[in-house]
Amino acid sequence: MKALVTGGGGFLGGAIVRALLDRGDTVRSIQRGHYPELLELGVDVMQGDLCKVDDIDAAAKGCDIVYHVAALAGVWGDYEKYYQANVLATKNVIDACKNHNINYLVYTSTPSVVFDGADEEGINESTPYAETFFNAYQETKAEAEKLVLNSNDAKLKTVALRPHLIWGPGDRHLAPRVINRGRAGRLRLVGVKENKVDSCYIDNAVNAHLLAGDSLQNEAKCAGKAYFISNDEPIAMSGLINKILATVDVPPISKRINQYLAYYLGALLEFVYSVFRIEQEPLMTRFVAKQLSTSHWFDLTAAKRDLSYEPTISIDEGMRYLKASFNTEK
């Protein structure tokens, strides 16, 4: 198989590229930046913009399957930027698949598409999309997921995966953000309850993508469907945060901020940042306040049934690998 990975220079995209190479697939990647490490691995690297039809069309030519991982992530920002990066780019990927008779498309989505601010405790894929969204990332990822799933047909089989809080060696977002704020003394738990959350170690997220691609090529039980993906180990939010801090010997945090205060602070900051057109992400937003104070864990029955997905690396084992990676960097 010749696979195209969009966003191959990113954390998840790069890990998928390496896993595909390890099993003998030929891999092409397309991303905005220049990543010489991909060239060294033997990847057919293309630098381009998914919003440009010619770029994605050239990248898709000759491929058998596409893993569409690239996205603009974040909790703050202008809707149009997110629309271009997440919706228009996804439409272009779908069109490129059809133009080049590519039969399989695996899309990286997010559980945020169904998050409405309430606790999510053991929910499954029957949960509807949120009716209102806290930010442009949520909204545009939901739009893009719908495009992908609605494009599923006999010629192009599609599937969407919703991994939650991916972390591990090479993580550029979750772990570094927690660690940097913990070291600076700017980290607080939100709310009084021990809300439980799912997370996903990078190897498990990668495995889910490869299983999904393989499933599309065989019985295709997953075609046209979305799946929650995680470590299937819901733990207290405080536990996850403190496990990450422990990998770099930062003392655990226990200080809390009232969830309502955090929410209204987020709303105030969003208002101020909007009025003054500040592009930098606020310290707190309504979305972050809700995410940190509510539970998010998922029923993986569908992924286990249709994809044969089973997490292979536990949270504690993953934390050991994460700590080792930090020690290697010193």
Side-chain angles (χ1 to χ4, degrees), residues 187-245:
L187 200 56
R188 297 290 185 274
L189 300 172
V190 178
V192 296
K193 67 179 182 181
E194 286 291 357
N195 51 308
K196 287 187 175 182
V197 296
D198 262 334
S199 67
C200 195
Y201 184 70
I202 182 63
D203 289 16
N204 295 329
V206 169
N207 188 39
H209 281 73
L210 268 60
L211 288 170
D214 293 345
S215 175
L216 289 179
Q217 297 167 55
N218 294 297
E219 295 182 354
K221 293 179 181 178
C222 65
K225 301 176 184 177
Y227 295 89
F228 290 116
I229 301 295
S230 76
N231 255 56
D232 204 20
E233 293 179 88
I235 64 172
M237 176 69 80
S238 61
L240 178 63
I241 289 173
N242 286 325
K243 282 178 181 291
I244 292 173
L245 293 176

Side-chain angles (χ1 to χ4, degrees), residues 138-198:
Q138 269 189 289
E139 185 172 357
T140 55
K141 288 295 285 186
E143 291 180 64
E145 182 182 287
K146 291 175 186 177
L147 282 177
V148 169
L149 298 183
N150 290 336
S151 297
N152 180 72
D153 58 26
K155 292 184 178 180
L156 176 61
K157 295 183 176 66
T158 68
V159 61
L161 301 185
R162 300 169 175 173
H164 192 247
L165 296 179
I166 306 174
W167 58 274
D171 175 13
R172 303 168 194 171
H173 298 286
L174 177 62
R177 177 171 296 192
V178 169
I179 290 168
N180 290 338
R181 290 192 176 186
R183 282 173 168 163
R186 298 168 58 195
L187 200 56
R188 297 290 185 274
L189 300 172
V190 178
V192 296
K193 67 179 182 181
E194 286 291 357
N195 51 308
K196 287 187 175 182
V197 296
D198 262 334

Side-chain angles (χ1 to χ4, degrees), residues 30-82:
I30 179 171
Q31 55 283 310
R32 288 176 180 270
H34 177 59
Y35 294 91
E37 63 271 23
L38 294 178
L39 288 170
E40 293 175 4
L41 291 173
V43 178
D44 179 7
V45 179
M46 297 186 68
Q47 193 169 353
D49 184 348
L50 299 183
C51 293
K52 296 179 180 178
V53 172
D54 289 346
D55 286 2
I56 180 57
D57 196 66
K61 186 177 181 180
C63 292
D64 303 303
I65 185 172
V66 176
Y67 295 86
H68 180 30
V69 186
L72 176 60
V75 299
W76 177 253
D78 178 67
Y79 175 85
E80 185 58 29
K81 290 182 179 179
Y82 281 93

